[in-house]
Each structure stands twice: as structure tokens, then as C-alpha cells.
Amino acid sequence: MSGPGNTGQQYTGKHRQPSGPGAKAPAWGGRAKPGNITLAAQLMVIAKEPVPGRVKTRLTPAYTPAEAAELAEAALADTLAAVGSVAVARRILALAGTPGRWLPPGFDVIAQRGGGLDERLAWALSDARATNPDPLVFIGMDTPQVTPALLVQAVEPLVAGTADATFGMAEDGGFWLLGLREIDPALVLGVPMSRSDTGALALERLHQAGLRVSMLPELADVDTPGDAERIAAATPGSRFAAHVRTLGPRVARPLAAASLAAGEQAFSPA
């Protein structure tokens, strides 16, 4: 998940607290109303602004870059809607880019920063922890089929203390969700991303830390036109499915090596 908002800073495993005369912690614009809080936890979405040519690049050339960005926006909107339906203390969007019409109210927006994806995830965890130490679950924008029930399943063991981490493997070998009872950026820093063994390596890191891990169902990411059609068929009422239907069926053609090299970075292989 590269793109705008990447400052090039390197995360070293220790959070840099705000300093200086005008420094202050991020505002809590995403805090749920007190009467609605049922889970003392945070839900965070890691996303890129859906800009043509910068998101869902593996959907091309079956879809044009503009169409791929439209599908990415629909997937992101579905993901944010699912998160927004869960009553938690705080909802966060860690964004590379600028918020758009797809962002609903009730979310704190923090900028992604760092170099590789593991660094950006580590920074996002630290920035969230700086103002709220509650358990945190984060997901990407590639699984529009995620439901509020799945998110609750990921959050509840952390709040109850029956698990130290929750984890969802992706079908392609990556992972679509990670939850931590105690926010520790070091658990993601240095994990190789965008590989067929990313999920296994991330899970191994949790086990090596001695954490009790509660597993969630395996989900598929939207990476290819075939993924898009399959996920749309499984979620006919979603925004994503509606957009896939509007654009019509597509036949994927092999990507050139150069296109693969320029592909996007995500939790799972891009």
C-alpha cells in the first residue's frame, strides 16, 4: 500500500511522542458516543486513496485504471461501513492520500508514514496507541465482504482477555486482519510483506512472542478480475458487487513483467 502520505521516515520500534511548543496528540474525532460504546477497543482500516493507476493495479488491463479505482473505492466504502456498524471506542482510517466522499463520519484519519508496508503498519499502530491504549484490530481495504459480525468476533476476545491476538489469513497467503490486546508495533515491524508466506510469517511472529492467538475465517482479497467477480457473487448486496455488475464481466489478460513489478503493495502478494 504505497502512495501519497508516505514521508519516508523509518520506524525503529520506539514511538516518537509529539514534541515542541505546538505539538499535540491527534484529535479523537472517531470516538463513539458514550451511550453507544459496547466494546473498549479500536478498529482501524489501512487504506490508499482510490486514485487511478495507484490502487488495484492487478485488475488491469481487464479493467481500466479508472474502473479499477472505482472498484477500490467501492471496496473501501463497504469496509468502512462494516467498521462503522460496530460499537467500539474509536474508529481510525490510516490513509495514504486524501479523504474523499467515500469517508463516512465517525473516523479519525491519520496519515500513513514510513518506508515499507511493515513500517507504515508499525507507525499506524504507534499513532493509535499514543492517544488510546485500548485493544486494536486493523484490516485492509481489500476484503469488502467483511461483516460487522466478523469484526466483533475479532474484537471480543481481546476485550475479554481470552486472547492476546486475533488473526485472519487471506487465501493467497497474506493476512486480512490482525488484532492485538496490547498494541505492540514490533509485532509487525520487519515482517516481509507482499509475499505468499506473509500471513504465515506474521502468525509465526505472534506465536514467537508467546501470544494466545484466536483465528478468524480465511477470506479472499480483491487482487484479480477473477477475485472481483467471485467476491461480488458472494456479497450481492454490497456496493462492491453493485459496481462489478455495472461494469460488466471482464476477461483477465496476462500482465507484463513490468506491470507486476509496478504492482501495489498490500498485506498479501500484490
Side-chain angles (χ1 to χ4, degrees):
M1 293 188 297
S2 58
N6 183 351
T7 65
Q9 289 178 293
Q10 289 191 343
Y11 184 78
T12 61
K14 183 177 180 181
H15 180 60
R16 302 170 187 174
Q17 296 288 350
S19 59
K24 60 181 180 179
W28 275 49
R31 184 197 291 269
K33 294 180 181 179
N36 295 334
I37 294 178
T38 58
L39 293 168
Q42 307 175 78
L43 283 172
M44 181 165 65
V45 178
I46 311 290
K48 288 192 291 188
E49 180 185 0
V51 175
R54 307 206 68 169
V55 291
K56 297 292 118 202
T57 54
R58 290 185 64 190
L59 292 179
T60 59
Y63 294 95
T64 68
E67 290 172 336
E70 291 171 9
L71 289 175
E73 180 176 330
L76 178 55
D78 283 329
T79 302
L80 294 172
V83 170
S85 296
V86 182
V88 289
R90 191 186 189 197
R91 304 179 188 93
I92 308 165
L93 173 64
L95 181 65
T98 304
R101 60 185 180 184
W102 37 264
L103 179 63
F107 281 80
D108 280 346
V109 179
I110 60 176
Q112 290 183 27
R113 51 183 175 147
L117 178 57
D118 65 314
E119 289 184 2
R120 282 178 277 145
L121 293 176
W123 273 113
L125 289 173
S126 276
D127 288 342
R129 185 181 62 182
T131 49
N132 187 349
D134 285 345
L136 182 146
V137 171
F138 71 80
I139 61 175
M141 59 185 285
D142 300 330
T143 51
Q145 70 273 44
V146 69
T147 64
L150 276 174
L151 295 174
V152 170
Q153 185 179 341
V155 170
E156 282 185 334
L158 305 177
V159 174
T162 58
D164 302 309
T166 50
F167 193 80
M169 292 285 291
E171 288 185 2
D172 59 11
F175 66 97
W176 67 273
L177 177 146
L178 173 60
L180 297 171
R181 185 165 183 254
E182 295 186 4
I183 303 173
D184 183 359
L187 291 171
V188 296
L189 187 64
V191 174
M193 298 287 166
S194 300
R195 292 176 17 172
S196 60
D197 59 352
T198 291
L201 293 172
L203 183 58
E204 181 182 4
R205 177 73 67 86
L206 301 178
H207 287 146
Q208 288 177 341
L211 303 186
R212 298 165 297 160
V213 182
S214 177
M215 299 297 294
L216 273 77
E218 185 177 272
L219 294 184
D221 289 335
V222 177
D223 287 327
T224 67
D227 295 334
E229 293 184 3
R230 182 159 55 99
I231 292 172
T235 58
S238 66
R239 295 173 180 81
F240 183 77
H243 215 77
V244 170
R245 289 193 297 269
T246 297
L247 294 176
R250 305 297 170 94
V251 177
R253 299 192 299 275
L255 283 174
S259 297
L260 286 172
E264 68 202 79
Q265 192 178 44
F267 292 166
S268 55

